[in-house]
Amino acid sequence: MESLVPENLTASFPWLTALVVVAALGAVALWCLPRGARGRVREIALGVSLVNVGLLVGAFTQFDTSKAGVHQLYEQYAWIPQIGTSYAVGVDGLGLALVALGVGLVPIVILAAWREQGDDVERLRHYLALVLLTAAFMTLIFAARDVFLFYVVFEAMLIPIYFMIGAFGGPQRRGAAVKFLLFSLAGGLVMLVAVIALFLQGPGGAEGFLTANLTGLALTTNVERLLFVGFFLAFAIKAPMFPVHTWLPDAAQQAPAGTSTLLVGVLDKVGTFGMLTLCIPLFPSASAWAAPTIVVLAVVSVIYGALLALGQKDLMRLIAYTSVSHFGVMILGIFAFSQTSIAGASFYMLGHGLATGLLFLTAGMVIARHPQRSQRIADFGGLQRTTPIIAGIFLLGGLATLSLPGLAPFVGEIMVLIGAFGAYPAAVIVSAVVVVLAALYILLTYQRMFTGPEQEHLTGLPDMVGREKWVVAPLVAALLVLGFYPRPALDLVEAPADVTVSTIALEGSAS
Amino acid sequence: MLSMLPVATEVAPAMAAAGFWQENAWLLVAAPLVSAGILLLLGRSADRWGHWLGLLASTLTFVVGAGILVDLLGSPAGERVREVDLFSWISTSELDLVAGLRLDPLSLTFVLLVTFVGSLIHLYSVAYMENDPARRRFFAYLNLFVASMLLLVLADSYLLLFVGWEGVGLASYLLIGFWNHVPAYATAAKKAFVMNRVADVGMIIALGLMFSTFGGLDFTTVLAGSADASEGKLTAIGLMLLLAACGKSAQFPLQAWLGDAMAGPTPVSALIHAATMVTAGVYLIVRSGPVFDGAPTALLVVAIVGAITLLFGAIVGCAKDDIKKTLAASTMSQIGYMMLAAGLGPIGYAFAIFHLLTHGFFKAGMFLGAGSVMHGMNDQVDMRRFGGLSRYMKITWLTFGAGWLAILGIPPFSGFWSKDKIIESAFVGEGWQPWVFGTVALLGAGITAFYMSRLFFMTFHGKQRWTSEAEGTGPDQHPHESPILMTLPMIVLAVGSVALGGVLAIGDGFVTWLEPVTGHVEHHAPVIPVPVIMAATIVLVLLGAFLAWRQYAASTVPVVAPRGSLLTRAARRDLYQDDVNEGLVMRPGQYLTRSLVFGDATLVDGAFSGLGRTSSGLGRALRGLQNGFVRSYAAMMALGIVVIAVVVLAVQG
């Protein structure tokens, strides 16, 4: 079993910690900003996020892609040794890819929020500080290599998101925020119990919570299954998966577009990421045991989410439901346990983050232009004549969402479907129907909002302005580049997928 | 980055040195793609010259394609299948997929058809779209189409083919909906895309089957592996590929989008929805020959689908009064011929492609002719409002006439050489099949002659039935010939309609050219002697043409369509295809969606949080909680951490 836990490669410079600290300090700085400097909050927040992009580039130069299956840039310090926790961070290719997704989206979200609060710089200051705080947590959770650290961040990161929905969203934002928190809390509580129970099964000691020390434990079948369910439930809520998905549409409907981008594009990936980096490595035989059931639920999510999206009247809710469908695809890929499907699911996490981000942010631009800031699809029409660039970008985001070949999500989706076919042909055949439903929910929406004659109440709306072009340009470029040339990202996620598959295979041969 | 890989056909691995043209084959896809990107990114600042750039990109692809063709023709037949690797695309430890191009007689045939006809249609569009403020965007989409179509036919793997496959679907969507400020056109565009996606389900399942069966998705692996695969697997793959082909090629039962697709500007109808994209399904079947060779059942279904569609389209074509919709029905029917030929297996593959090629010329020519008529008639499309136009549009009349004779299959026009071979091949075989397929193909020829002659006579001959302002049915008509930029492509295509078939048939030249891909087939004797089949075909065709002449040229055509027989009324409504789709799929789907939305809000959500909302007491409690909620939450979280600490300490203590 020892071979399953490859040696970590220690960092020569604490890149990951630096990413966390810079973002967190940026948040603190915004909150403590002296009155005189408050006119500059946007520039400061953007600057901090761009420093992080620079740090990310640095981290990439130190990451050895040929060893992407190993956790690198590793740092470990004793935290509270009395209770066995360490501050341990490190990333394999998948972790680094998700850190990159988060770090890359933050400046885009900041740029998108530039005028969101009108001239209310005070509100914007708080919002941007929360964005930076979230950024710090996002890096930390994808890098955490200590289960206790992971749990604490998993819970703590709910707080900035809660405020980003509850204080800055639409008319029913409070209820949506509370619902979000209740669901997360329920998942967190179950996970809490599982975390404690897992520790009790482990070797204990000052480093008892290190993920490496909790991997490959000799657990009895029942204990392993219970622990698996504890972790999985928390991740399924986060992902979100049918039937515990209902918090997401409410949250996305009420939250500002930037918040939804981070929430759906990055934070929800903690669910699928947790399944890959905690559920399967820690509880391999329980994962194999649960896989058929999970595959069924995943397929239900795929179809159910798509059908629900089709029936939505609110644009943001619609996008949220498409994600329920897409997370189903990812989870199908993960639990089909084929190397192609897992690498595909990992790649899809990135592609989905980009596509959904683009769709949410462009939708935000459309909504911001409506005289009453309506989100109802029926309140729009004929916008292709009025705002052709926005229309084009929205369509592109939509086409990415429906996994059109040539755009990044396609590579992930098709890898999941063909990779899972060998083990679960029926699941793939049913899931493949989603390509029809996806075409319908995207193109019907496009038709209703953008085609047809110009609407009187929408005439004279301004098309995309320069700042907004900077918001969408990096996303469009990334979608196209990874769509045609997915190699760079595949190089990162393939080796971790190999590790996952060999974990399951080893378990299969052992039992 | 060039390498020669062994090919899946019986041909020996090609080891010829890569020539200049072959090394630049990537330009075929890259040039129009880059041009499309430039036109879209530059926006209005490229309005003045954008169409010329589009034409240039398209012409460049033709030059490169012709260069490669000369290259291949200069090599012995055994060295005419070549693979050009471009870059490592998707690879995992299970799947190693290189993005590469396959240059062989089949793909090159398509490349030349697409780039030659495509360039002509670009030229035509410069004039046709002159007064459209979005002409630049139109050319961007046309270029996008050319790039995707060339990728589709040049791809060396099913997955890369799928990229082109979806690319042409996107271009088709964008171009059908080019004037999507008209709601009906926007609906037509969406309908086309969605129906094609139904077909894509087949493609995706086929990809899954191939990957799990052969461990690869490139043609070499799949086609070579087909020799050893089980018939069950091959049948499943074959049927799924057929499903895919049915969508793209508007074959029964996924044919309903093509008629509506005529909402697009006419050059689009000519290029995409007649000459090239809609024939991609035939390409897919012929390309997958080795799969179908091992799956006779799947092959039979291909032939049946083709036979049904060829009659379906022909019947619908007889009843339409819209000139473009008649041509669309005819396209569907002619592709049915190609499908039928492909479904006959190796004896039919080459003829399917042959007919595809000649059809590409004469049908594109006739669509451009229809566009020219519309151009001169204030965009009128109702043939009952045409009549006697031959005197006013001499070039359009003559070039259209060439296409008309070609599709009728009158010797020595192009269509004769290709269609007659299909009818003849359909009569080959054992059991009921040759009799059924042969009869359908034969009957189809007669019906085709009727509806195409009906179109020709109603438009160009008989009395003038033009609209006039006084009548209140539209503006006064002053028909006139189109400008040279439009007539020139029509003339070139007309030359093709007259001579292409005959030239390529000399010494079986075209069929021999395709042999490295389709294999060499010995001649099989049909169940009826060939001269009898030929004579019967000619008689039926002349009969069809005569009936049309009597009804639509010799007697008066009413400007309002008579009620018609039951069959006429059904054909006018496309044999109720939309009603069937609506009743079987759309209505139940909408019902399902609505129930699920209701269920999600009440049952699923209710199970978790609705409980709190419905009980007012708890609701009030929740509201009270809200202000201090985060504080309580933070406290709970802290509590959780404390619990962990306590437990751990207790255990360790």
Side-chain angles (χ1 to χ4, degrees):
Chain A
M1 300 306 276
E2 208 54 38
S3 64
L4 285 185
V5 190
E7 281 301 304
N8 296 310
L9 296 179
T10 307
S12 52
F13 175 84
W15 295 104
L16 295 169
T17 303
L19 281 168
V20 175
V21 169
V22 167
L25 283 181
V28 173
L30 283 185
W31 270 315
C32 305
L33 208 60
R35 237 163 237 297
R38 288 187 186 170
R40 289 255 158 269
V41 282
R42 300 178 179 99
E43 289 79 1
I44 294 170
L46 186 64
V48 170
S49 68
L50 289 176
V51 168
N52 259 359
V53 171
L55 283 172
L56 180 73
V57 173
F60 262 97
T61 62
Q62 297 305 306
F63 188 87
D64 183 353
T65 312
S66 66
K67 293 179 186 149
V70 179
H71 284 85
Q72 306 182 28
L73 310 174
Y74 188 78
E75 307 163 45
Q76 183 184 331
Y77 311 97
W79 181 15
I80 318 175
Q82 290 82 356
I83 61 166
T85 70
S86 316
Y87 172 82
V89 290
V91 285
D92 61 1
L94 174 63
L96 184 62
L98 289 171
V99 167
L101 177 65
V103 170
L105 279 177
V106 169
I108 291 171
V109 165
I110 290 173
L111 210 50
W114 216 253
R115 296 263 168 261
E116 202 141 272
Q117 303 301 331
D119 293 327
D120 194 343
V121 181
E122 270 310 283
R123 275 176 67 80
L124 188 65
R125 186 168 66 98
H126 286 292
Y127 182 74
L128 295 178
L130 288 168
V131 169
L132 288 178
L133 187 60
T134 309
F137 283 135
M138 284 192 308
T139 301
L140 198 49
I141 196 144
F142 291 127
R145 295 300 295 155
D146 179 280
V147 174
F148 181 83
L149 178 65
F150 183 90
Y151 170 75
V152 171
V153 180
F154 187 83
E155 296 283 39
M157 69 194 308
L158 302 177
I159 294 174
I161 293 286
Y162 170 84
F163 281 112
M164 283 163 73
I165 302 168
F168 297 94
Q172 273 108 48
R173 55 182 186 263
R174 289 254 170 130
V178 168
K179 195 169 176 181
F180 161 74
L181 214 50
L182 276 178
F183 269 78
S184 303
L185 187 66
L189 277 177
V190 184
M191 189 159 125
L192 170 66
V193 175
V195 166
I196 295 172
L198 175 65
F199 178 82
L200 296 180
Q201 298 285 327
E207 297 182 346
F209 269 113
L210 280 187
T211 314
N213 286 340
L214 294 171
T215 309
L217 298 179
L219 304 171
T220 65
T221 308
N222 282 339
V223 169
E224 191 189 342
R225 289 178 182 178
L226 279 173
L227 290 178
F228 171 84
V229 169
F231 278 92
F232 183 80
L233 210 64
F235 295 142
I237 291 174
K238 181 117 287 191
M241 195 175 180
F242 175 86
V244 285
H245 62 274
T246 56
W247 63 271
L248 181 65
D250 284 5
Q253 181 178 12
Q254 300 301 329
T259 305
S260 298
T261 301
L262 291 182
L263 180 63
V264 183
V266 188
L267 289 176
D268 285 356
K269 305 293 185 324
V270 174
T272 41
F273 174 78
M275 291 175 198
L276 276 170
T277 52
L278 290 176
C279 281
I280 295 175
L282 299 188
F283 320 112
S285 53
S287 302
W289 159 76
T293 315
I294 294 172
V295 164
V296 169
L297 280 175
V299 173
V300 173
S301 289
V302 170
I303 301 298
Y304 187 87
L307 283 171
L308 262 289
L310 207 43
Q312 296 308 310
K313 296 185 168 69
D314 182 286
L315 182 57
M316 295 308 209
R317 281 185 81 82
L318 185 145
I319 302 174
Y321 274 110
T322 69
S323 289
V324 173
S325 178
H326 293 149
F327 276 99
V329 173
M330 292 170 213
I331 295 170
L332 168 66
I334 292 170
F335 282 89
F337 297 141
S338 109
Q339 202 261 356
T340 306
S341 74
I342 293 178
S346 308
F347 187 88
Y348 197 29
M349 290 189 211
L350 295 180
H352 171 263
L354 299 169
T356 302
L358 182 60
L359 205 53
F360 267 127
L361 291 172
T362 317
M365 293 172 194
V366 179
I367 291 163
R369 281 164 169 76
H370 190 276
Q372 283 85 43
R373 293 186 64 94
S374 170
Q375 303 191 167
R376 275 171 50 86
I377 294 166
D379 290 348
F380 295 91
L383 282 179
Q384 191 186 311
R385 309 293 132 184
T386 323
T387 56
I389 300 177
I390 289 183
I393 298 296
F394 184 91
L395 184 62
L396 192 91
L399 293 170
T401 299
L402 63 79
S403 292
L404 191 85
L407 298 167
F410 167 74
V411 177
E413 187 178 287
I414 199 75
M415 283 174 74
V416 167
L417 292 176
I418 64 171
F421 195 90
Y424 296 100
V428 171
I429 291 170
V430 175
S431 299
V433 174
V434 81
V435 303
V436 182
L437 300 175
L440 272 172
Y441 62 61
I442 291 297
L443 296 185
L444 265 175
T445 307
Y446 185 81
Q447 187 185 346
R448 286 172 182 153
M449 294 179 64
F450 292 94
T451 73
E454 264 186 276
Q455 307 274 310
E456 211 169 284
H457 67 289
L458 298 175
T459 45
L461 295 185
D463 204 352
M464 203 174 269
V465 298
R467 173 182 57 83
E468 290 169 320
K469 287 181 186 165
W470 282 105
V471 169
V472 298
L475 293 172
V476 170
L479 282 168
L480 283 168
V481 169
L482 290 180
F484 281 102
Y485 191 62
R487 271 261 58 88
L490 281 176
D491 281 340
L492 288 178
V493 299
E494 272 166 20
D498 277 329
V499 173
T500 308
V501 171
S502 57
T503 308
I504 291 288
L506 209 70
E507 197 56 39
S509 61
S511 58
Chain B
M1 278 292 286
L2 299 180
S3 77
M4 303 298 156
L5 299 177
V7 296
T9 53
E10 297 127 43
V11 181
M15 284 301 174
F20 168 77
W21 295 109
Q22 186 176 327
E23 276 182 51
N24 290 300
W26 57 276
L27 276 173
L28 287 169
V29 180
L33 195 62
V34 168
S35 164
I38 291 174
L39 293 180
L40 287 177
L41 275 179
L42 286 188
R44 301 215 170 97
S45 57
D47 273 354
R48 259 183 325 115
W49 46 268
H51 44 283
W52 296 117
L53 178 68
L55 176 64
L56 183 72
S58 172
T59 314
L60 179 67
T61 58
F62 173 69
V63 173
V64 175
I68 298 173
L69 176 75
V70 171
D71 216 5
L72 282 195
L73 283 173
S75 322
E79 290 171 15
R80 284 182 187 165
V81 180
R82 302 175 184 183
E83 300 214 347
V84 182
D85 287 352
L86 297 177
F87 56 86
S88 163
W89 185 30
I90 295 177
S91 67
T92 66
S93 49
E94 301 172 334
L95 169 70
D96 182 24
L97 206 53
V98 172
L101 306 179
R102 173 177 278 223
L103 307 174
D104 66 11
L106 180 59
S107 63
L108 256 291
T109 303
F110 267 90
V111 166
L112 287 167
L113 172 68
V114 172
T115 56
F116 184 72
V117 175
S119 299
L120 286 176
I121 288 175
H122 275 72
L123 183 65
Y124 178 95
S125 305
V126 171
Y128 190 84
M129 298 298 284
E130 193 174 5
N131 297 319
D132 195 299
R135 177 165 62 167
R136 170 190 50 82
R137 193 159 53 85
F138 180 81
F139 273 82
Y141 295 166
L142 271 193
N143 274 189
L144 175 67
F145 169 75
V146 171
S148 309
M149 188 69 203
L150 292 177
L151 182 62
L152 193 167
V153 296
L154 285 166
D156 70 346
S157 69
Y158 282 97
L159 195 60
L160 194 59
L161 178 152
F162 190 40
V163 175
W165 186 267
E166 290 288 275
V168 294
L170 171 65
S172 165
Y173 166 80
L174 293 170
L175 286 164
I176 296 171
F178 191 72
W179 291 317
N180 64 15
H181 50 272
V182 182
Y185 293 4
T187 307
K190 182 197 68 206
K191 181 176 176 183
F193 196 92
V194 171
M195 289 199 82
N196 270 290
R197 279 244 139 180
V198 174
D200 291 347
V201 173
M203 186 68 113
I204 288 171
I205 295 174
L207 290 172
L209 277 163
M210 287 173 192
F211 182 54
S212 66
T213 311
F214 307 111
L217 298 171
D218 53 305
F219 291 149
T220 310
T221 307
V222 173
L223 301 182
S226 296
D228 306 317
S230 73
E231 191 182 327
K233 279 267 164 72
L234 292 177
T235 306
I237 294 174
L239 290 175
M240 288 301 116
L241 289 176
L242 173 63
L243 176 58
C246 280
K248 199 60 77 204
S249 291
Q251 297 294 289
F252 182 82
L254 294 177
Q255 78 289 352
W257 64 271
L258 186 59
D260 293 355
M262 297 301 118
T266 305
V268 172
S269 312
L271 179 61
I272 303 184
H273 303 117
T276 58
M277 182 192 83
V278 284
T279 58
V282 181
Y283 168 79
L284 183 68
I285 305 284
V286 173
R287 175 57 85 195
S288 311
V291 171
F292 285 95
D293 290 347
T297 316
L299 205 53
L300 180 62
V301 180
V302 173
I304 294 173
V305 164
I308 293 176
T309 313
L310 97 79
L311 280 184
F312 192 115
I315 292 169
V316 170
C318 293
K320 290 287 179 187
D321 291 329
D322 179 321
I323 185 168
K324 284 182 72 180
K325 295 207 169 178
T326 311
L327 286 172
S330 159
T331 302
M332 190 199 292
S333 170
Q334 294 297 309
I335 298 171
Y337 269 106
M338 300 169 208
M339 270 306 180
L340 173 61
L344 299 172
I347 60 160
Y349 291 153
F351 300 135
I353 300 298
F354 192 10
H355 192 53
L356 191 158
L357 189 60
T358 57
H359 175 260
F361 275 78
F362 63 68
K363 187 54 72 61
M366 285 192 284
F367 259 114
L368 295 189
S372 173
V373 169
M374 287 161 62
H375 193 78
M377 294 288 283
N378 289 314
D379 286 328
Q380 175 66 269
V381 289
D382 185 357
M383 298 189 291
R384 294 188 182 276
R385 289 303 186 164
F386 293 156
L389 290 177
S390 58
R391 238 178 306 154
Y392 301 87
M393 312 180 170
K394 280 254 175 340
I395 302 177
T396 305
W397 172 59
L398 285 172
T399 55
F400 202 107
W404 168 62
L405 292 169
I407 195 172
L408 256 56
I410 304 288
F413 291 86
S414 279
F416 164 76
W417 303 97
S418 52
K419 194 154 84 176
D420 238 43
K421 283 291 182 190
I422 294 180
I423 298 174
E424 204 182 297
S425 306
F427 273 109
V428 175
E430 286 167 4
W432 57 270
Q433 294 157 15
W435 297 103
V436 171
F437 293 144
T439 310
V440 167
L442 198 57
L443 273 180
I447 307 177
T448 305
F450 174 78
Y451 72 76
M452 284 311 299
S453 306
R454 172 178 180 267
L455 183 157
F456 188 71
F457 294 139
M458 271 174 107
T459 303
F460 293 103
H461 299 276
K463 286 212 185 73
Q464 300 168 0
R465 304 175 299 275
W466 312 340
T467 52
S468 66
E469 220 147 43
E471 234 185 317
T473 50
D476 277 340
Q477 296 289 13
H478 307 285
H480 54 84
E481 188 54 276
S482 300
I484 175 86
L485 283 183
M486 286 169 67
T487 50
L488 191 67
M490 287 154 58
I491 294 169
V492 176
L493 290 171
V495 172
S497 309
V498 174
L500 183 70
V503 170
L504 292 181
I506 296 172
D508 270 345
F510 185 71
V511 173
T512 316
W513 153 252
L514 281 180
E515 269 176 9
V517 178
T518 56
H520 179 72
V521 183
E522 293 305 320
H523 182 72
H524 289 73
V527 290
I528 306 177
V530 174
V532 178
I533 299 176
M534 281 177 86
T537 310
I538 297 282
V539 167
L540 276 174
V541 165
L542 291 178
L543 182 68
F546 170 73
L547 288 176
W549 175 82
R550 205 187 54 181
Q551 196 175 343
Y552 299 101
S555 43
T556 316
V557 178
V559 291
V560 177
R563 190 154 179 274
S565 69
L566 204 62
L567 181 63
T568 310
R569 273 177 280 149
R572 253 180 226 147
R573 297 204 50 153
D574 304 284
L575 303 180
Y576 304 110
Q577 60 187 14
D578 292 332
D579 309 75
V580 170
N581 289 341
E582 205 178 306
L584 286 184
V585 184
M586 274 167 61
R587 288 266 163 77
Q590 282 165 353
Y591 182 76
L592 177 68
T593 304
R594 250 176 254 142
S595 339
L596 283 180
V597 170
F598 179 74
D600 195 62
T602 52
L603 289 175
V604 182
D605 195 30
F608 295 100
S609 55
L611 282 175
R613 219 176 299 139
T614 43
S615 122
S616 63
L618 195 59
R620 227 173 293 124
L622 257 184
R623 261 198 304 284
L625 251 176
Q626 275 174 15
N627 293 327
F629 194 78
V630 164
R631 230 169 299 138
S632 343
Y633 174 73
M636 271 190 251
M637 206 186 92
L639 190 70
I641 294 168
V642 170
V643 170
I644 294 184
V646 168
V647 173
V648 172
L649 287 174
V651 173
Q652 304 216 325

